[in-house]
Amino acid sequence: MTTAKVGAPGNPAVGVVPFTDAVYRTCTDAPPTSSDCLMVGAVRDPYEIGQLEVTVGEWVAFLNTVDPAGRDPHGLYDRTESSSAWPKYGSVNFSAAGGDGCHYSVAYPEWADKPYGFANFLKAARFVNALYNGRLISKQDSSSQGFHYVTYQVELSPETERGMYDLARPDATRAHDSGFVVPSQDEWIKAAYYDPNGGGTYSYWKYPTNPGVFGDGEATAPAPTVLNPTTGDVVNAATQPLASYHATGQPAPNWCPGEVQPDVCATVNPFGLDPASYASAYQGSLSTVGQARSTSPWGTLDQGGNAVESTDTITPPPTGGDSARVWRRAHGGVSNAGAYQMWPSAVGLQPQDNVFFNLTYPWFGIRLGVIGDLEPRGGGS
């Protein structure tokens, strides 16, 4: 995995009212009716965040490492994710006949470099624990276009239930000061929007791709990606800034694996939806990671559009929500949703164990983070 270094420790926060087209220097500057204003984006220490989202190929390697016998004791896979059950979105296949460590496979080659899209916090935390408990083989610093990156090579551990997160606790938080993590809401927002050079408004961009102008709706939103219809590769990367989302009045980014007949992609789904209902409910496909090429102020890619991503920040449930469940913040914009989902105020939230959502929503991804200073050694991080 390659991470982007995020500096400017102790940066100021900014006030946001959920899903409102504005930012405020403080919440006292927000409209008096905005009782739900949040201060977000301030991070005390340097950290790193994934340059890209976790891909299907990386997720399959994780599955075969942590579940070599194919028994899935922690609910990391469901048939909904298969290409037979869901030809358009199914990216991972399972074979009971596979040998140890070979039960899971990338459904079609085109999926290998797409974001894994059936995630939630618990899946992300188990991936992090496998990294935390694994063997850090190498660490390489690099720079490109003024951004600073670190590339890690890690031999994953099969231990997923403890490490950075003790998943015996439903409200698991970080157990260590150094290691791989699921980014917090503030870490995610800072990496996506905070400009250390003072661009944007109060040093925050409106989109993770460009400063934009708060208050202008979608007028300064990035252009939407256009995808190769059989591979999901971005074909209009020369148009900048760019993101995979569903722009108003335009078709959503869309592709179907070349091995599948288009009419099958357009009709076969695991829910028995008729073609018209299916076409209405499921617009937008995940594109090849990084190909939109528009960077955040710290050099990350696809924090705007493609897949929405979980953070490890626990939040109160929405009004009327189930208070017995653990809710966590999510961010990122989605390839089937409008530009507003890419604003810093898009402070969404989800139950961390929403099984129905996991099975029916194929656009929820994982971005990893690193805190502290990791160095290669024999085992553990």
Side-chain angles (χ1 to χ4, degrees):
M1 62 174 285
T2 295
T3 61
K5 290 186 175 183
V6 182
N11 65 295
V14 69
V16 297
V17 175
F19 298 96
T20 298
D21 186 6
V23 292
Y24 307 97
R25 193 180 297 278
T26 70
C27 280
T28 59
D29 298 327
T33 55
S34 304
S35 59
D36 53 351
C37 181
L38 303 172
M39 295 299 294
V40 298
V43 182
R44 183 186 63 187
D45 300 311
Y47 64 99
E48 300 162 28
I49 192 167
Q51 181 191 28
L52 302 169
E53 294 160 320
V54 171
T55 65
V56 173
E58 291 164 339
W59 181 255
V60 166
F62 162 75
L63 288 178
N64 282 320
T65 299
V66 304
D67 184 28
R71 296 172 181 167
D72 195 18
H74 304 302
L76 294 171
Y77 181 78
D78 188 88
R79 183 178 175 274
T80 302
E81 303 176 45
S82 71
S83 58
S84 57
W86 208 347
K88 183 175 181 179
Y89 295 106
S91 58
V92 180
N93 288 336
F94 172 80
S95 171
D100 275 3
C102 299
H103 290 282
Y104 301 94
S105 61
V106 177
Y108 297 110
E110 299 89 339
W111 274 112
D113 54 7
K114 305 298 185 295
Y116 174 65
F118 291 88
N120 58 17
F121 169 76
L122 296 178
K123 288 185 175 183
R126 288 186 165 100
F127 196 113
V128 162
N129 283 347
L131 286 165
Y132 181 88
N133 295 316
R135 184 169 68 92
L136 180 56
I137 298 170
S138 66
K139 174 184 178 181
Q140 181 68 46
D141 291 286
S142 62
S143 296
S144 177
Q145 299 180 334
F147 303 120
H148 302 288
Y149 299 103
V150 184
T151 298
Y152 297 93
Q153 183 182 7
V154 184
E155 181 181 3
L156 293 171
S157 166
E159 174 53 51
T160 63
E161 299 312 288
R162 287 177 177 80
M164 181 56 72
Y165 302 97
D166 181 356
L167 296 180
R169 296 176 52 88
D171 58 347
T173 56
R174 298 176 185 181
H176 305 278
D177 295 329
S178 179
F180 296 98
V181 295
V182 179
S184 69
Q185 171 167 266
D186 287 334
E187 289 165 349
W188 200 102
I189 287 176
K190 179 176 179 177
Y193 304 104
Y194 180 73
D195 185 348
N197 297 315
T201 301
Y202 309 130
S203 296
Y204 282 81
W205 290 7
K206 182 174 178 177
Y207 301 100
T209 53
N210 59 295
V213 176
F214 287 100
D216 74 353
E218 299 184 10
T220 51
T225 56
V226 177
L227 307 184
N228 180 298
T230 62
T231 68
D233 288 340
V234 174
V235 299
N236 64 330
T239 303
Q240 291 289 313
L242 188 68
S244 285
Y245 74 103
H246 192 178
T248 302
Q250 301 186 47
N254 186 65
W255 70 283
C256 171
E259 297 86 347
V260 181
Q261 291 298 315
D263 64 316
V264 173
C265 262
T267 58
V268 178
N269 63 87
F271 320 114
L273 294 174
D274 64 84
S277 299
Y278 181 49
S280 175
Y282 287 94
Q283 302 179 47
S285 298
L286 297 173
S287 60
T288 303
V289 296
Q291 287 191 342
R293 292 190 356 209
S294 297
T295 57
S296 76
W298 298 97
T300 65
L301 294 160
D302 301 332
Q303 282 197 268
N306 227 12
V308 67
E309 301 160 15
S310 181
T311 75
D312 69 0
T313 297
I314 297 174
T315 184
T319 303
D322 184 353
S323 61
R325 304 175 81 174
V326 177
W327 293 69
R328 302 196 189 243
R329 292 289 183 183
H331 290 274
V334 195
S335 58
N336 75 325
Y340 73 94
Q341 288 277 12
M342 296 188 288
W343 298 345
S345 62
V347 286
L349 65 167
Q350 277 290 327
Q352 66 177 18
D353 57 350
N354 191 337
V355 176
F356 176 78
F357 184 84
N358 296 344
L359 300 182
T360 60
Y361 191 89
W363 305 289
F364 207 108
I366 299 171
R367 191 178 298 263
L368 303 170
V370 173
I371 58 173
D373 187 19
L374 309 189
E375 294 297 337
R377 50 180 172 269
S381 297

